[in-house]
Amino acid sequence: MQNIQLHFKLCMQNIRKALENIAMTRGNIPTENISIDLQPLHLLTILKAQHSIYPAIYWHDKEQQQSFLCFGSIERLQHIPSATGDAFYIGGLAFQSEATQWPNFPNTLFIRPALVFKKEHNKYTLTCHFNGTFSVQECLHLLNKLKQPCALKKINNHILMRQDIPSKKQWGTLVKHAMLCREEMPKVVLSRQSTLHCKNSINSTDLLHQYQQANPNNFLFSFQFAEKQVFIGCSPERLFSKEKQQLKTEALAGTVLRGATPSDDLQLLQQLLNDKKIKRENELVQHYIVSGLQHLNAHIKCGSPYVLQLHKVQHLCVPIQATLCKKTSTKTLLETLHPTPAVAGFPKQTALQFIKENEPYVRGWYAGTVGYINAQKSDFSVAIRSALISDKSIQLFAGAGLVKGSKARQEWQELDNKIQTVLALLSHLEEN
Protein backbone atom coordinates (compact mmCIF):
# COMPACT_ATOMS: atom_id res chain seq x y z
CA MET A 1 0.00 0.00 0.00
CA GLN A 2 2.90 2.34 0.73
CA ASN A 3 4.09 2.07 -2.88
CA ILE A 4 0.56 2.83 -4.15
CA GLN A 5 0.39 5.94 -1.97
CA LEU A 6 3.82 7.13 -3.14
CA HIS A 7 2.81 6.55 -6.75
CA PHE A 8 -0.40 8.54 -6.21
CA LYS A 9 1.52 11.39 -4.58
CA LEU A 10 3.89 11.63 -7.55
CA CYS A 11 0.91 11.57 -9.96
CA MET A 12 -0.70 14.45 -8.09
CA GLN A 13 2.53 16.47 -8.20
CA ASN A 14 2.80 15.97 -11.97
CA ILE A 15 -0.86 16.91 -12.46
CA ARG A 16 -0.47 20.12 -10.45
CA LYS A 17 2.59 21.13 -12.49
CA ALA A 18 0.75 20.46 -15.74
CA LEU A 19 -2.25 22.55 -14.63
CA GLU A 20 -0.06 25.43 -13.45
CA ASN A 21 1.69 25.48 -16.84
CA ILE A 22 -1.65 25.46 -18.64
CA ALA A 23 -2.91 28.37 -16.50
CA MET A 24 0.15 30.38 -17.55
CA THR A 25 -0.23 29.60 -21.27
CA ARG A 26 -4.02 29.40 -21.74
CA GLY A 27 -5.38 31.45 -18.86
CA ASN A 28 -7.00 30.62 -15.53
CA ILE A 29 -10.49 29.86 -16.90
CA PRO A 30 -10.20 27.37 -19.78
CA THR A 31 -13.12 26.60 -22.05
CA GLU A 32 -11.93 23.10 -22.95
CA ASN A 33 -11.12 20.00 -20.89
CA ILE A 34 -7.53 19.16 -19.99
CA SER A 35 -6.52 15.48 -20.05
CA ILE A 36 -3.35 14.13 -18.50
CA ASP A 37 -2.03 10.59 -19.04
CA LEU A 38 -1.37 8.63 -15.84
CA GLN A 39 0.40 5.50 -14.75
CA PRO A 40 -2.01 2.73 -13.61
CA LEU A 41 -4.06 3.53 -10.50
CA HIS A 42 -6.48 1.44 -8.44
CA LEU A 43 -9.55 3.67 -8.59
CA LEU A 44 -11.52 2.06 -5.75
CA THR A 45 -8.63 2.63 -3.30
CA ILE A 46 -8.82 6.33 -4.20
CA LEU A 47 -12.60 6.39 -3.74
CA LYS A 48 -12.37 4.72 -0.33
CA ALA A 49 -10.02 7.39 1.01
CA GLN A 50 -12.28 10.36 0.24
CA HIS A 51 -14.72 11.53 2.93
CA SER A 52 -15.29 15.21 2.21
CA ILE A 53 -15.62 15.62 -1.58
CA TYR A 54 -19.09 15.44 -3.11
CA PRO A 55 -20.30 14.38 -5.54
CA ALA A 56 -18.15 11.24 -5.51
CA ILE A 57 -19.17 8.80 -8.26
CA TYR A 58 -17.78 5.50 -9.51
CA TRP A 59 -19.04 3.66 -12.59
CA HIS A 60 -17.67 0.53 -14.28
CA ASP A 61 -19.15 -1.23 -17.32
CA LYS A 62 -20.03 -4.93 -17.48
CA GLU A 63 -17.48 -5.64 -20.24
CA GLN A 64 -14.71 -4.34 -17.93
CA GLN A 65 -13.57 -1.89 -20.60
CA GLN A 66 -14.33 1.44 -18.92
CA SER A 67 -14.17 2.76 -15.36
CA PHE A 68 -14.81 6.32 -14.21
CA LEU A 69 -14.07 7.86 -10.82
CA CYS A 70 -15.55 11.36 -10.60
CA PHE A 71 -15.19 14.13 -8.00
CA GLY A 72 -16.85 17.52 -7.68
CA SER A 73 -19.03 19.13 -10.33
CA ILE A 74 -18.98 22.09 -12.69
CA GLU A 75 -22.60 21.49 -13.74
CA ARG A 76 -25.48 19.87 -11.88
CA LEU A 77 -28.59 19.24 -13.98
CA GLN A 78 -32.01 17.92 -13.00
CA HIS A 79 -32.81 17.00 -16.59
CA ILE A 80 -31.32 14.66 -19.19
CA PRO A 81 -28.46 16.54 -20.88
CA SER A 82 -27.42 16.60 -24.51
CA ALA A 83 -23.63 16.31 -24.56
CA THR A 84 -21.69 18.24 -27.20
CA GLY A 85 -17.97 18.81 -27.70
CA ASP A 86 -15.94 17.36 -24.85
CA ALA A 87 -18.73 17.47 -22.26
CA PHE A 88 -19.27 14.34 -20.14
CA TYR A 89 -22.23 13.76 -17.84
CA ILE A 90 -22.84 10.97 -15.35
CA GLY A 91 -25.95 10.38 -13.26
CA GLY A 92 -29.30 8.69 -13.25
CA LEU A 93 -33.07 8.63 -13.14
CA ALA A 94 -35.34 7.41 -10.36
CA PHE A 95 -37.63 4.45 -10.97
CA GLN A 96 -40.72 6.68 -11.14
CA SER A 97 -40.50 10.41 -11.79
CA GLU A 98 -43.92 11.15 -10.29
CA ALA A 99 -43.24 9.43 -6.97
CA THR A 100 -41.66 10.54 -3.70
CA GLN A 101 -37.84 10.30 -3.89
CA TRP A 102 -34.94 9.76 -1.50
CA PRO A 103 -33.16 12.80 -0.01
CA ASN A 104 -30.32 13.96 -2.34
CA PHE A 105 -31.55 11.65 -5.13
CA PRO A 106 -34.11 13.63 -7.17
CA ASN A 107 -36.16 12.36 -10.13
CA THR A 108 -33.29 13.09 -12.50
CA LEU A 109 -29.74 14.17 -11.69
CA PHE A 110 -26.71 14.41 -13.96
CA ILE A 111 -23.32 15.79 -12.98
CA ARG A 112 -20.61 17.20 -15.21
CA PRO A 113 -17.71 16.29 -12.91
CA ALA A 114 -14.77 18.56 -12.16
CA LEU A 115 -12.31 15.64 -12.06
CA VAL A 116 -12.62 12.32 -13.89
CA PHE A 117 -10.11 9.54 -13.39
CA LYS A 118 -10.67 7.17 -16.29
CA LYS A 119 -9.50 3.67 -17.09
CA GLU A 120 -10.20 2.58 -20.66
CA HIS A 121 -8.60 -0.51 -22.23
CA ASN A 122 -5.91 -0.38 -19.51
CA LYS A 123 -5.04 3.24 -20.33
CA TYR A 124 -5.37 5.71 -17.44
CA THR A 125 -6.09 9.43 -17.67
CA LEU A 126 -7.25 12.28 -15.48
CA THR A 127 -9.54 14.77 -17.19
CA CYS A 128 -10.09 18.15 -15.57
CA HIS A 129 -13.36 19.53 -16.91
CA PHE A 130 -13.70 23.19 -17.86
CA ASN A 131 -16.58 25.09 -19.45
CA GLY A 132 -15.55 28.73 -19.09
CA THR A 133 -16.87 29.10 -15.53
CA PHE A 134 -14.54 26.80 -13.54
CA SER A 135 -10.98 27.99 -12.95
CA VAL A 136 -7.65 26.18 -12.80
CA GLN A 137 -7.25 27.46 -9.24
CA GLU A 138 -10.56 25.85 -8.23
CA CYS A 139 -9.44 22.64 -9.89
CA LEU A 140 -6.12 22.72 -8.00
CA HIS A 141 -7.99 23.34 -4.74
CA LEU A 142 -10.12 20.24 -5.39
CA LEU A 143 -7.03 18.16 -6.23
CA ASN A 144 -5.41 19.27 -2.97
CA LYS A 145 -8.39 17.90 -1.04
CA LEU A 146 -7.86 14.38 -2.38
CA LYS A 147 -6.55 11.99 0.27
CA GLN A 148 -4.00 9.23 -0.29
CA PRO A 149 -5.43 5.87 -1.48
CA CYS A 150 -6.69 3.57 1.25
CA ALA A 151 -6.37 -0.24 1.22
CA LEU A 152 -9.53 -2.24 0.52
CA LYS A 153 -10.49 -4.71 3.24
CA LYS A 154 -12.77 -7.67 3.67
CA ILE A 155 -16.06 -6.79 5.36
CA ASN A 156 -16.04 -7.75 9.03
CA ASN A 157 -19.51 -7.04 10.31
CA HIS A 158 -22.59 -8.65 11.83
CA ILE A 159 -26.26 -8.12 11.10
CA LEU A 160 -28.09 -7.27 14.33
CA MET A 161 -31.60 -6.79 12.96
CA ARG A 162 -33.52 -7.10 9.70
CA GLN A 163 -36.83 -5.55 8.67
CA ASP A 164 -38.61 -6.41 5.42
CA ILE A 165 -41.08 -4.01 3.79
CA PRO A 166 -43.47 -5.50 2.81
CA SER A 167 -43.42 -8.27 5.40
CA LYS A 168 -43.88 -11.86 4.24
CA LYS A 169 -47.57 -11.71 5.16
CA GLN A 170 -48.06 -8.38 3.34
CA TRP A 171 -46.24 -9.83 0.34
CA GLY A 172 -48.75 -12.66 0.11
CA THR A 173 -51.62 -10.16 0.09
CA LEU A 174 -49.88 -8.03 -2.59
CA VAL A 175 -49.27 -11.01 -4.86
CA LYS A 176 -52.89 -12.13 -4.51
CA HIS A 177 -54.05 -8.61 -5.41
CA ALA A 178 -51.76 -8.52 -8.46
CA MET A 179 -53.04 -11.88 -9.68
CA LEU A 180 -56.61 -10.58 -9.57
CA CYS A 181 -55.54 -7.79 -11.97
CA ARG A 182 -53.89 -10.15 -14.45
CA GLU A 183 -56.33 -9.50 -17.33
CA GLU A 184 -55.49 -5.82 -17.57
CA MET A 185 -51.90 -6.30 -16.33
CA PRO A 186 -50.23 -9.54 -17.58
CA LYS A 187 -47.05 -8.70 -15.67
CA VAL A 188 -46.15 -6.54 -12.69
CA VAL A 189 -42.83 -6.45 -10.86
CA LEU A 190 -43.29 -6.10 -7.12
CA SER A 191 -40.31 -5.51 -4.87
CA ARG A 192 -39.11 -5.49 -1.29
CA GLN A 193 -36.85 -3.29 0.81
CA SER A 194 -34.82 -5.19 3.44
CA THR A 195 -33.25 -2.88 6.01
CA LEU A 196 -30.29 -4.38 7.87
CA HIS A 197 -28.87 -2.81 11.01
CA CYS A 198 -25.25 -3.83 11.53
CA LYS A 199 -22.86 -3.88 14.46
CA ASN A 200 -20.27 -1.66 12.76
CA SER A 201 -20.30 1.08 10.14
CA ILE A 202 -20.51 -0.30 6.61
CA ASN A 203 -17.77 0.84 4.27
CA SER A 204 -19.54 1.16 0.93
CA THR A 205 -16.35 0.89 -1.15
CA ASP A 206 -15.20 -2.32 0.55
CA LEU A 207 -18.66 -3.81 0.03
CA LEU A 208 -18.71 -2.68 -3.61
CA HIS A 209 -15.29 -4.24 -4.23
CA GLN A 210 -16.33 -7.58 -2.75
CA TYR A 211 -19.62 -7.47 -4.66
CA GLN A 212 -17.58 -7.04 -7.85
CA GLN A 213 -15.33 -9.96 -6.98
CA ALA A 214 -18.42 -12.16 -6.58
CA ASN A 215 -19.94 -10.97 -9.90
CA PRO A 216 -17.09 -9.56 -12.04
CA ASN A 217 -19.06 -9.25 -15.30
CA ASN A 218 -21.64 -6.82 -13.93
CA PHE A 219 -22.01 -3.07 -13.97
CA LEU A 220 -20.59 -1.55 -10.80
CA PHE A 221 -21.63 1.86 -9.48
CA SER A 222 -21.46 4.12 -6.44
CA PHE A 223 -23.21 7.49 -6.22
CA GLN A 224 -22.71 9.83 -3.26
CA PHE A 225 -24.09 13.36 -3.57
CA ALA A 226 -23.92 14.34 0.11
CA GLU A 227 -22.36 13.16 3.35
CA LYS A 228 -24.75 10.57 4.76
CA GLN A 229 -26.05 8.30 1.97
CA VAL A 230 -24.30 6.20 -0.68
CA PHE A 231 -26.17 4.32 -3.40
CA ILE A 232 -24.21 1.33 -4.71
CA GLY A 233 -24.95 -1.54 -7.04
CA CYS A 234 -23.59 -4.51 -8.94
CA SER A 235 -26.13 -4.86 -11.73
CA PRO A 236 -26.23 -7.59 -14.39
CA GLU A 237 -28.70 -5.65 -16.55
CA ARG A 238 -28.01 -3.13 -19.29
CA LEU A 239 -30.73 -0.67 -20.21
CA PHE A 240 -28.87 0.26 -23.38
CA SER A 241 -25.54 1.26 -24.84
CA LYS A 242 -25.54 3.73 -27.75
CA GLU A 243 -22.51 4.45 -29.92
CA LYS A 244 -23.35 6.74 -32.82
CA GLN A 245 -26.35 4.94 -34.43
CA GLN A 246 -25.62 1.48 -33.00
CA LEU A 247 -27.64 0.32 -30.00
CA LYS A 248 -27.19 -2.66 -27.68
CA THR A 249 -29.86 -3.64 -25.18
CA GLU A 250 -31.31 -6.83 -23.70
CA ALA A 251 -34.35 -8.51 -22.23
CA LEU A 252 -33.19 -9.83 -18.87
CA ALA A 253 -36.05 -11.54 -17.03
CA GLY A 254 -36.49 -14.93 -15.41
CA THR A 255 -34.46 -16.19 -12.45
CA VAL A 256 -33.42 -19.47 -10.87
CA LEU A 257 -30.78 -20.34 -8.29
CA ARG A 258 -27.27 -21.60 -9.03
CA GLY A 259 -26.81 -25.29 -8.35
CA ALA A 260 -24.79 -26.74 -5.49
CA THR A 261 -22.95 -29.03 -7.96
CA PRO A 262 -22.16 -28.72 -11.71
CA SER A 263 -24.90 -31.22 -12.55
CA ASP A 264 -27.44 -29.34 -10.38
CA ASP A 265 -26.34 -26.09 -12.03
CA LEU A 266 -26.91 -27.54 -15.50
CA GLN A 267 -30.31 -28.91 -14.53
CA LEU A 268 -31.39 -25.49 -13.24
CA LEU A 269 -30.02 -23.85 -16.39
CA GLN A 270 -32.14 -26.12 -18.56
CA GLN A 271 -35.15 -25.34 -16.36
CA LEU A 272 -34.55 -21.65 -17.00
CA LEU A 273 -34.46 -22.17 -20.75
CA ASN A 274 -37.57 -24.39 -20.85
CA ASP A 275 -39.88 -23.03 -18.15
CA LYS A 276 -43.09 -21.65 -19.74
CA LYS A 277 -43.67 -19.07 -17.00
CA ILE A 278 -40.12 -17.71 -17.31
CA LYS A 279 -40.35 -17.67 -21.11
CA ARG A 280 -43.62 -15.72 -20.89
CA GLU A 281 -42.05 -13.22 -18.49
CA ASN A 282 -39.05 -12.64 -20.77
CA GLU A 283 -41.18 -12.35 -23.91
CA LEU A 284 -43.17 -9.49 -22.36
CA VAL A 285 -39.90 -7.58 -21.82
CA GLN A 286 -38.73 -8.35 -25.37
CA HIS A 287 -42.04 -7.19 -26.82
CA TYR A 288 -41.89 -3.89 -24.95
CA ILE A 289 -38.30 -3.10 -26.00
CA VAL A 290 -38.83 -4.09 -29.64
CA SER A 291 -42.10 -2.12 -29.87
CA GLY A 292 -40.43 0.97 -28.43
CA LEU A 293 -37.54 0.76 -30.87
CA GLN A 294 -39.90 0.13 -33.80
CA HIS A 295 -41.74 3.31 -32.83
CA LEU A 296 -38.37 5.09 -33.26
CA ASN A 297 -37.99 3.52 -36.73
CA ALA A 298 -34.97 1.46 -35.71
CA HIS A 299 -33.79 -1.68 -37.53
CA ILE A 300 -33.84 -4.41 -34.85
CA LYS A 301 -32.29 -7.84 -34.46
CA CYS A 302 -32.96 -10.14 -31.49
CA GLY A 303 -30.34 -12.74 -30.63
CA SER A 304 -30.78 -16.23 -29.24
CA PRO A 305 -31.69 -16.64 -25.56
CA TYR A 306 -28.82 -17.53 -23.25
CA VAL A 307 -28.33 -17.94 -19.51
CA LEU A 308 -26.40 -15.28 -17.59
CA GLN A 309 -24.85 -16.99 -14.56
CA LEU A 310 -24.08 -14.93 -11.47
CA HIS A 311 -22.77 -15.77 -8.01
CA LYS A 312 -26.05 -16.95 -6.46
CA VAL A 313 -28.60 -16.81 -9.30
CA GLN A 314 -28.87 -17.18 -13.08
CA HIS A 315 -31.08 -15.22 -15.48
CA LEU A 316 -32.59 -15.73 -18.91
CA CYS A 317 -31.26 -13.07 -21.30
CA VAL A 318 -32.07 -12.20 -24.91
CA PRO A 319 -29.60 -9.75 -26.53
CA ILE A 320 -31.09 -7.09 -28.80
CA GLN A 321 -29.23 -4.93 -31.32
CA ALA A 322 -30.57 -2.05 -33.37
CA THR A 323 -29.50 0.57 -35.88
CA LEU A 324 -31.05 3.90 -34.94
CA CYS A 325 -32.10 6.90 -36.99
CA LYS A 326 -29.56 9.73 -36.84
CA LYS A 327 -32.00 11.96 -34.95
CA THR A 328 -32.58 9.43 -32.10
CA SER A 329 -30.98 10.91 -28.99
CA THR A 330 -29.97 9.38 -25.66
CA LYS A 331 -32.77 11.43 -24.06
CA THR A 332 -35.33 9.86 -26.42
CA LEU A 333 -34.03 6.37 -25.66
CA LEU A 334 -34.20 6.94 -21.90
CA GLU A 335 -37.74 8.24 -22.18
CA THR A 336 -38.74 5.30 -24.42
CA LEU A 337 -37.08 2.36 -22.66
CA HIS A 338 -36.99 3.30 -18.97
CA PRO A 339 -38.37 1.59 -16.97
CA THR A 340 -38.69 -1.70 -18.84
CA PRO A 341 -41.17 -4.47 -17.90
CA ALA A 342 -38.18 -6.28 -16.34
CA VAL A 343 -38.47 -3.90 -13.36
CA ALA A 344 -41.99 -2.47 -13.78
CA GLY A 345 -44.42 -4.68 -15.69
CA PHE A 346 -46.65 -4.65 -18.73
CA PRO A 347 -48.50 -2.59 -19.85
CA LYS A 348 -46.01 -0.16 -18.34
CA GLN A 349 -48.31 2.65 -17.20
CA THR A 350 -50.81 0.24 -15.65
CA ALA A 351 -48.02 -1.56 -13.79
CA LEU A 352 -46.43 1.70 -12.63
CA GLN A 353 -49.73 2.90 -11.24
CA PHE A 354 -50.26 -0.41 -9.43
CA ILE A 355 -46.77 -0.19 -7.90
CA LYS A 356 -47.29 3.43 -6.87
CA GLU A 357 -50.58 2.60 -5.16
CA ASN A 358 -49.57 -0.68 -3.52
CA GLU A 359 -45.86 -0.92 -2.71
CA PRO A 360 -45.42 0.20 0.92
CA TYR A 361 -41.99 1.86 0.55
CA VAL A 362 -40.19 4.38 -1.69
CA ARG A 363 -38.09 2.82 -4.49
CA GLY A 364 -36.12 6.01 -5.20
CA TRP A 365 -33.24 5.17 -7.55
CA TYR A 366 -33.64 1.41 -7.03
CA ALA A 367 -34.76 -0.04 -10.40
CA GLY A 368 -34.00 3.35 -11.93
CA THR A 369 -31.14 3.74 -14.38
CA VAL A 370 -27.58 5.04 -13.99
CA GLY A 371 -24.92 5.75 -16.57
CA TYR A 372 -23.07 8.35 -18.60
CA ILE A 373 -23.50 10.50 -21.69
CA ASN A 374 -20.89 12.08 -23.96
CA ALA A 375 -20.93 13.17 -27.59
CA GLN A 376 -19.75 9.77 -28.85
CA LYS A 377 -21.40 7.26 -26.55
CA SER A 378 -23.87 6.66 -23.76
CA ASP A 379 -24.18 3.58 -21.58
CA PHE A 380 -26.85 2.91 -18.94
CA SER A 381 -27.40 0.12 -16.45
CA VAL A 382 -30.65 -0.78 -14.75
CA ALA A 383 -30.05 -0.01 -11.06
CA ILE A 384 -30.88 -3.42 -9.60
CA ARG A 385 -28.84 -5.53 -7.14
CA SER A 386 -28.41 -2.22 -5.39
CA ALA A 387 -28.29 -0.84 -1.86
CA LEU A 388 -28.60 2.46 -0.03
CA ILE A 389 -26.04 2.73 2.77
CA SER A 390 -26.00 5.09 5.74
CA ASP A 391 -23.45 4.44 8.51
CA LYS A 392 -24.50 1.15 10.21
CA SER A 393 -27.65 0.53 8.18
CA ILE A 394 -28.13 -0.74 4.65
CA GLN A 395 -31.30 -0.99 2.61
CA LEU A 396 -31.26 -3.86 0.10
CA PHE A 397 -33.73 -4.05 -2.76
CA ALA A 398 -35.03 -6.95 -4.82
CA GLY A 399 -37.94 -7.47 -7.18
CA ALA A 400 -39.85 -10.37 -8.73
CA GLY A 401 -41.90 -10.41 -11.91
CA LEU A 402 -45.44 -11.68 -11.36
CA VAL A 403 -47.16 -13.34 -14.33
CA LYS A 404 -49.66 -16.16 -14.79
CA GLY A 405 -48.53 -19.05 -12.59
CA SER A 406 -46.64 -16.94 -10.02
CA LYS A 407 -46.89 -18.08 -6.40
CA ALA A 408 -46.21 -15.80 -3.43
CA ARG A 409 -43.97 -18.28 -1.59
CA GLN A 410 -41.74 -18.92 -4.63
CA GLU A 411 -41.46 -15.22 -5.47
CA TRP A 412 -40.54 -14.38 -1.85
CA GLN A 413 -37.76 -16.95 -2.10
CA GLU A 414 -36.56 -15.28 -5.32
CA LEU A 415 -36.29 -11.97 -3.43
CA ASP A 416 -34.14 -13.70 -0.81
CA ASN A 417 -31.97 -15.30 -3.49
CA LYS A 418 -31.28 -11.93 -5.09
CA ILE A 419 -29.91 -10.35 -1.88
CA GLN A 420 -28.04 -13.45 -0.75
CA THR A 421 -24.61 -12.28 -1.99
CA VAL A 422 -24.70 -9.11 0.10
CA LEU A 423 -26.09 -10.96 3.12
CA ALA A 424 -23.18 -13.38 2.91
CA LEU A 425 -20.65 -10.54 2.62
CA LEU A 426 -22.07 -8.76 5.65
CA SER A 427 -21.79 -11.93 7.79
CA HIS A 428 -24.41 -13.71 9.85
CA LEU A 429 -27.52 -12.69 11.76
CA GLU A 430 -26.75 -12.39 15.46
CA GLU A 431 -29.11 -13.68 18.08
CA ASN A 432 -30.44 -11.07 20.51
Side-chain angles (χ1 to χ4, degrees), residues 45 54 66 70 112 134 142 169 243 265 269 321 366 425:
T45 65
Y54 310 109
Q66 286 186 318
C70 311
R112 184 171 179 185
F134 188 66
L142 188 58
K169 183 178 179 181
E243 193 160 8
D265 211 30
L269 184 151
Q321 295 184 332
Y366 159 64
L425 292 173

Side-chain angles (χ1 to χ4, degrees), residues 107-325:
N107 298 336
T108 304
L109 183 57
F110 283 89
I111 300 297
R112 184 171 179 185
L115 302 175
V116 180
F117 291 89
K118 180 180 178 182
K119 177 189 175 187
E120 185 170 27
H121 304 297
N122 292 317
K123 180 183 178 183
Y124 292 78
T125 57
L126 170 65
T127 301
C128 305
H129 283 246
F130 295 99
N131 60 358
T133 63
F134 188 66
S135 70
V136 172
Q137 290 305 314
E138 288 174 298
C139 187
L140 286 167
H141 177 70
L142 188 58
L143 280 164
N144 289 335
K145 290 175 69 176
L146 289 176
K147 305 295 184 186
Q148 293 281 353
C150 186
L152 300 168
K153 296 181 180 179
K154 188 175 181 180
I155 296 288
N156 182 19
N157 217 326
H158 294 282
I159 300 166
L160 301 176
M161 186 173 69
R162 170 175 165 175
Q163 180 187 21
D164 293 318
I165 303 175
S167 66
K168 193 171 185 179
K169 183 178 179 181
Q170 290 171 327
W171 176 258
T173 303
L174 275 175
V175 171
K176 186 175 180 180
H177 183 22
M179 291 296 98
L180 291 174
C181 302
R182 202 173 65 242
E183 283 192 15
E184 62 267 29
M185 188 177 61
K187 176 179 178 179
V188 63
V189 180
L190 294 180
S191 67
R192 183 185 73 193
Q193 173 187 283
S194 298
T195 301
L196 312 177
H197 298 281
C198 296
K199 186 176 182 179
N200 305 312
S201 294
I202 302 161
N203 188 283
S204 60
T205 311
D206 284 337
L207 180 58
L208 191 68
H209 178 57
Q210 288 183 245
Y211 213 165
Q212 182 186 33
Q213 289 181 315
N215 291 306
N217 297 317
N218 282 10
F219 289 97
L220 201 70
F221 57 83
S222 174
F223 286 82
Q224 186 167 14
F225 297 114
E227 182 181 358
K228 291 188 176 181
Q229 289 185 317
V230 189
F231 180 54
I232 70 166
C234 186
S235 172
E237 185 173 358
R238 167 171 273 132
L239 182 65
F240 67 83
S241 171
K242 175 183 179 291
E243 193 160 8
K244 295 182 179 177
Q245 290 170 257
Q246 299 306 307
L247 181 87
K248 288 193 302 183
T249 182
E250 60 196 19
L252 187 80
T255 306
V256 297
L257 273 172
R258 295 298 303 269
T261 65
S263 60
D264 289 343
D265 211 30
L266 182 61
Q267 186 177 351
L268 287 164
L269 184 151
Q270 291 300 326
Q271 176 188 327
L272 191 60
L273 289 170
N274 298 319
D275 187 284
K276 290 182 180 180
K277 171 188 168 293
I278 287 173
K279 185 179 179 182
R280 188 162 51 244
E281 183 181 349
N282 193 284
E283 284 174 347
L284 286 170
V285 179
Q286 287 179 61
H287 175 75
Y288 171 81
I289 293 172
V290 169
S291 296
L293 293 174
Q294 285 174 337
H295 184 70
L296 300 176
N297 297 314
H299 297 283
I300 307 151
K301 182 180 179 182
C302 293
S304 300
Y306 72 95
V307 174
L308 176 64
Q309 294 186 311
L310 303 175
H311 183 227
K312 295 290 186 180
V313 295
Q314 41 195 338
H315 300 293
L316 184 63
C317 184
V318 175
I320 300 169
Q321 295 184 332
T323 301
L324 304 168
C325 298

Side-chain angles (χ1 to χ4, degrees), residues 3-18:
N3 288 338
I4 292 174
Q5 291 177 338
L6 178 60
H7 172 55
F8 182 77
K9 184 177 180 180
L10 291 172
C11 280
M12 291 300 101
Q13 288 175 354
N14 293 335
I15 291 164
R16 290 187 196 98
K17 287 179 183 177

Side-chain angles (χ1 to χ4, degrees), residues 93-106:
L93 284 69
F95 171 69
Q96 285 206 64
S97 61
E98 300 301 319
T100 304
Q101 307 300 346
W102 301 333
N104 303 311
F105 290 85

Side-chain angles (χ1 to χ4, degrees), residues 331-390:
K331 181 176 185 291
T332 299
L333 289 168
L334 286 169
E335 291 172 344
T336 301
L337 298 179
H338 169 69
T340 75
V343 292
F346 185 84
K348 183 166 83 169
Q349 292 306 320
T350 305
L352 288 174
Q353 189 62 31
F354 184 91
I355 291 166
K356 186 177 179 181
E357 291 174 357
N358 291 281
E359 272 194 353
Y361 80 98
V362 176
R363 283 199 189 187
W365 277 29
Y366 159 64
T369 183
V370 294
Y372 74 86
I373 302 169
N374 63 33
Q376 292 76 41
K377 185 178 179 181
S378 55
D379 200 358
F380 282 83
S381 165
V382 181
I384 57 172
R385 306 299 189 277
S386 50
L388 187 66
I389 300 171
S390 180

